Amino acid sequence: MSQFVRRITHLARPIASRLSQLDLELTERCNNDCIHCCINLRANDVTTLRREMTTGQVKEILRQAADLGCLQVRFTGGEPLLRVDFEELYLFARRLGMTVLLYTNGCLINSRLAALFARVPPRVEIEITVYGMRAESYETVTRVPGSFAQFRRGISFLNEYHVPFVVKCALLPPNRAEMDEFEDPAMPWKLTRPSYSMGFELRSRRDDLAKNRLIESLRVRPQESIAVVLRDAGRYRPWTLELMNDQLRPPGDTLFACGAPTGQTACVDAYGRLQPCLGIRAPEFTVDITGAPLHDALAQFGRLSEMRAANPEYLRRCARCLLKTMCEQCPGKSWTEHGIFDAPVEYLCAMTHAWARYLGWLGDGEHGWEVDEWKESKAAIG
């Protein structure tokens, strides 16, 4: 057992916080087989299906979450609409007073589901990922013939029943030339601003090295990502000004800066295992809650805020980096990339530094952890 893991085991303590959002993976199975996906298993995987939580187990977790004050549940996967009991679980969550955030590829939305969402609104827009604007590009990504037609049909049902939804594009080699079409006002969706996924996450189960190498090869390069974001010319300015106001500073060796340490957010996977977030599937951070109280299980996350990094490379770079708060580096991302919680993620580091140099915060070849007089540098940036 490493020194880092030993620190994990003795930091747990009871928490008294309110659970505000629960991420619930209804299944890891998916009707698509996307080239970039970090989680999907086959839709007809019988072994996986038998392992998934029963309807009653999911309801019990939702009931306990509601008792803890949970106001929103995110149904995700895999493809959550593959669950034959999806409608039952959706209505159960809504009757508990929860807002339901649904992440879906939209291919399985039919008139019955659209009518359900119209009759009992989820209270927040459904989130649908777009993989291409034509059958060729879409199905090169999904690797499922006919999926493009299913996707367009699902969108048409939502529009027919006036169900609010938002779309984001998974920006991949087969569809990178289609951004103008994705943003075209004539499309069957409204965009307040274009939204793209570009830095695709690796498989957090850490079960497929070849797939991880493929995912890495599909990520948009940092310099190219700037051009994508700047298609919405004013998008970055409020974000950068907020950072300059009070967030631009080295974080030190503290690892968790999210809601997990307070018990405000958590994730339950398709098999009833509680974990701090979707990305962290480390055994020492998971608890089977199919037969245990959710509140008690959340207690293990109570002092994550006191955990400290021990990796020398993290301490040399991330802990001292002026840009850390604008970087997506976190224990979850570190786990999926390296299997530990305190290792720099090179892609995220390169992405953050590309933006800092574009904005003039750093010179060519300069790194955020090399800025010793960060208060003076921050003043100069402002």
Side-chain angles (χ1 to χ4, degrees), residues 62-375:
L62 288 169
R63 184 182 296 110
Q64 291 187 49
D67 289 344
L68 293 175
C70 184
L71 301 176
Q72 178 169 286
V73 61
R74 174 165 56 177
F75 285 160
T76 184
E79 174 49 58
L81 298 184
L82 272 176
R83 291 272 307 211
V84 296
D85 57 357
F86 173 81
E87 292 183 37
E88 184 178 353
L89 296 175
Y90 173 80
L91 287 171
F92 187 81
R94 289 294 292 111
R95 291 183 184 121
L96 288 172
M98 292 180 177
T99 294
V100 176
L101 176 56
L102 173 62
Y103 277 17
T104 176
N105 58 42
C107 295
L108 300 180
I109 294 175
N110 53 29
S111 59
R112 178 186 175 91
L113 276 173
L116 171 65
F117 297 141
R119 186 176 72 253
V120 186
R123 297 178 62 186
V124 66
E125 294 95 340
I126 294 170
E127 296 202 12
I128 298 177
T129 304
V130 181
Y131 302 115
M133 303 306 299
R134 301 181 181 86
E136 180 181 5
S137 57
Y138 191 97
E139 292 171 12
T140 298
V141 173
T142 64
R143 297 187 286 200
V144 174
S147 56
F148 180 71
Q150 293 174 337
F151 156 72
R152 292 301 296 261
R153 188 161 52 247
I155 292 291
S156 69
F157 282 128
L158 294 178
N159 282 324
E160 178 183 348
Y161 285 88
H162 306 288
V163 177
F165 66 96
V166 296
V167 293
K168 58 186 176 183
C169 176
L171 197 59
L172 292 153
N175 63 36
R176 283 181 189 167
E178 300 175 349
M179 284 187 283
D180 287 341
E181 293 176 71
F182 174 68
E183 299 172 22
D184 191 332
M187 285 296 105
W189 49 72
K190 296 179 181 179
L191 291 177
T192 55
R193 62 167 35 118
S195 178
Y196 296 98
S197 299
M198 296 180 281
F200 307 106
E201 296 188 9
L202 304 187
R203 294 179 73 84
S204 55
R205 286 191 300 267
R206 300 186 54 77
D207 60 350
D208 192 334
L209 181 61
K211 181 63 180 288
N212 279 349
R213 299 293 79 81
L214 171 61
I215 295 172
E216 286 181 322
S217 74
L218 297 171
R219 290 169 169 171
V220 175
R221 289 183 294 182
Q223 288 295 338
E224 294 173 350
S225 72
I226 295 174
V228 174
V229 174
L230 292 181
R231 291 173 69 87
D232 183 5
R235 181 178 183 182
Y236 72 92
R237 288 197 58 79
W239 168 60
T240 54
L241 290 173
E242 179 185 352
L243 283 166
M244 287 187 291
N245 183 39
D246 62 359
Q247 297 183 34
L248 204 61
R249 64 189 59 170
D253 59 359
T254 299
L255 283 174
F256 284 86
C258 57
T262 63
Q264 294 177 353
T265 61
C267 171
V268 178
D269 73 9
Y271 318 107
R273 297 177 300 207
L274 182 75
Q275 52 204 43
C277 68
L278 289 166
I280 296 180
R281 299 174 189 271
E284 63 267 30
F285 270 100
T286 59
V287 180
D288 185 347
I289 60 169
T290 53
L294 176 59
H295 179 272
D296 292 351
L298 283 169
Q300 73 157 319
F301 307 145
R303 296 192 65 183
L304 293 180
S305 60
E306 297 184 18
M307 290 181 59
R308 299 291 182 264
N311 184 344
E313 191 64 7
Y314 184 100
L315 295 174
R316 183 182 74 85
R317 292 168 49 182
C318 304
R320 300 178 57 228
C321 186
L322 177 71
L323 306 173
K324 180 62 173 64
T325 50
M326 67 179 283
C327 181
E328 293 185 20
Q329 161 81 36
C330 70
K333 298 292 188 355
S334 181
W335 167 258
T336 60
E337 300 269 336
H338 302 294
I340 60 176
F341 305 105
D342 59 347
V345 177
E346 299 301 335
Y347 177 78
L348 298 177
C349 183
M351 183 78 75
T352 304
H353 278 76
W355 269 103
R357 292 178 185 122
Y358 169 79
L359 294 167
W361 295 3
L362 295 176
D364 291 341
E366 188 178 16
H367 297 95
W369 58 85
E370 296 170 337
V371 181
D372 293 325
E373 302 299 329
W374 64 271
K375 292 183 179 179

